[in-house]
Amino acid sequence: MSRTTSMGRGITAVLAAGERHAHGLPGGTVAEIAADLGKDRSQVSRSLRTAEQEGFLRRTAQRTFALNWSVLTDAHLLTRRRLHTDGAAALERLSSETDEGCFLGVLSGDSTVTVGESIPATSKMVGSWLGRPYPAYCSDAGQALFWEASEVQVRKVFAQVPFVKHGPNTPADVEDFLARLKAARRRGYSIVDEEAEPGLYSLAVPVRDFRGEVVAALQIVGPKSRLEPRQADHAKALAAQGTWLEAMLGCPSPSKQP
């Protein structure tokens, strides 16, 4: 029996236990999971025991096999660390290639918060944006961070948020924001054109983790007069670094995402 085949069966058993969780069931017995998979009970039993030994599954008081959530917690912590370390590398390369300020933002409630930045020596930007929140409906990272969100989710986040005007093109309301988000998805990246403040222009792409979920946004920010004429080139560089960072976070390739 090859190692690859054994590993494949083990992963299949873990996924089967996870599928039962998704349907509100507390894991499953060997017999139940074997029936779900249509596999031989003894073979499934070996796979489940191996998965338990490796820490992916745990045995409950009812003698069922359930997901060991500590593994997912560890994966989240590792993703957070890699977002900072590999994110810094992506920002440095992107800033060097574009000669513009580049940032990494995350969502916090109805605001975005900068967790990484790289500012070239030629930049006239003053101060740091690290740790500073900004309204998500008009921030440079906002649209990209809602990339996979449903309209219902977006409306829920902004239900109690007044759309205060920060620039000449700030979205008027949630419907306006949703229309811009749809346009960004079709384009493949967001453009925030004088929404956050007059004269400011930015491009952003979402960054997904090992679950395929958006955890951050990679951005290029600068004066509209300088960025807009180079939009196509900057968008290409942005997409390349975003794809690299997603790979570092274990994001499945598009063909493997559900």
Side-chain angles (χ1 to χ4, degrees):
M1 182 182 297
S2 73
R3 180 182 178 86
T4 301
T5 301
S6 299
M7 182 180 295
R9 283 199 293 267
I11 292 173
T12 299
V14 172
L15 293 176
E19 186 68 20
R20 295 183 70 82
H21 275 281
H23 288 86
L25 301 171
T29 63
V30 173
E32 289 170 337
I33 294 176
D36 291 343
L37 294 173
K39 301 291 185 181
D40 177 73
R41 179 171 172 171
S42 62
Q43 185 182 83
V44 171
S45 178
R46 288 194 297 272
S47 298
L48 289 169
R49 286 200 302 270
T50 299
E52 181 187 10
Q53 291 168 0
E54 295 296 330
F56 293 103
L57 297 175
R58 61 181 177 83
R59 194 80 67 92
T60 70
Q62 292 74 36
R63 308 303 294 170
T64 62
F65 287 90
L67 292 179
N68 184 353
W69 296 109
S70 65
V71 174
L72 185 60
T73 300
D74 291 343
H76 279 298
L77 292 174
L78 178 60
T79 295
R80 189 177 302 173
R81 288 197 294 269
R82 299 211 69 162
L83 187 60
H84 284 272
T85 56
D86 292 322
L91 287 169
E92 287 292 333
R93 288 194 296 268
L94 189 60
S95 181
S96 176
E97 183 174 351
T98 63
D99 199 31
E100 299 290 352
C102 298
F103 303 85
L104 193 66
V106 299
L107 190 64
S108 178
D110 55 26
S111 299
T112 64
V113 178
T114 300
V115 296
E117 64 183 11
S118 180
I119 312 298
T122 56
S123 175
K124 295 182 180 179
M125 289 187 179
V126 178
S128 170
W129 272 96
L130 286 175
R132 294 168 60 182
Y134 205 81
Y137 65 83
C138 65
S139 81
D140 303 308
Q143 293 174 35
L145 288 170
F146 284 100
W147 204 263
E148 306 290 354
S150 67
E151 290 190 6
V152 172
Q153 291 171 321
V154 174
R155 289 193 177 95
K156 185 176 181 179
V157 170
F158 293 130
Q160 304 300 321
V161 176
F163 277 56
V164 177
K165 200 172 184 65
H166 289 264
N169 297 327
T170 300
D173 50 33
V174 69
E175 300 303 326
D176 192 1
F177 178 85
L178 284 168
R180 300 182 193 203
L181 178 56
K182 289 178 182 177
R185 288 166 174 163
R186 290 193 296 269
R187 188 188 305 113
Y189 56 93
S190 67
I191 296 175
V192 175
D193 180 4
E194 296 189 287
E195 296 177 24
E197 63 179 77
L200 194 67
Y201 195 86
S202 67
L203 311 177
V205 293
V207 176
R208 300 170 182 84
D209 67 1
F210 64 97
R211 302 162 300 169
E213 296 184 7
V214 175
V215 291
L218 191 61
Q219 314 137 237
I220 302 174
V221 184
K224 179 176 180 176
S225 58
R226 193 167 65 229
L227 262 67
E228 189 174 35
R230 301 181 61 194
Q231 176 185 317
D233 290 338
H234 284 349
K236 186 181 297 185
L238 187 62
Q241 292 305 320
T243 298
W244 178 84
L245 183 52
E246 287 188 334
M248 295 300 100
L249 298 180
C251 178
S253 63
S255 61
K256 295 181 180 179
Q257 290 187 32

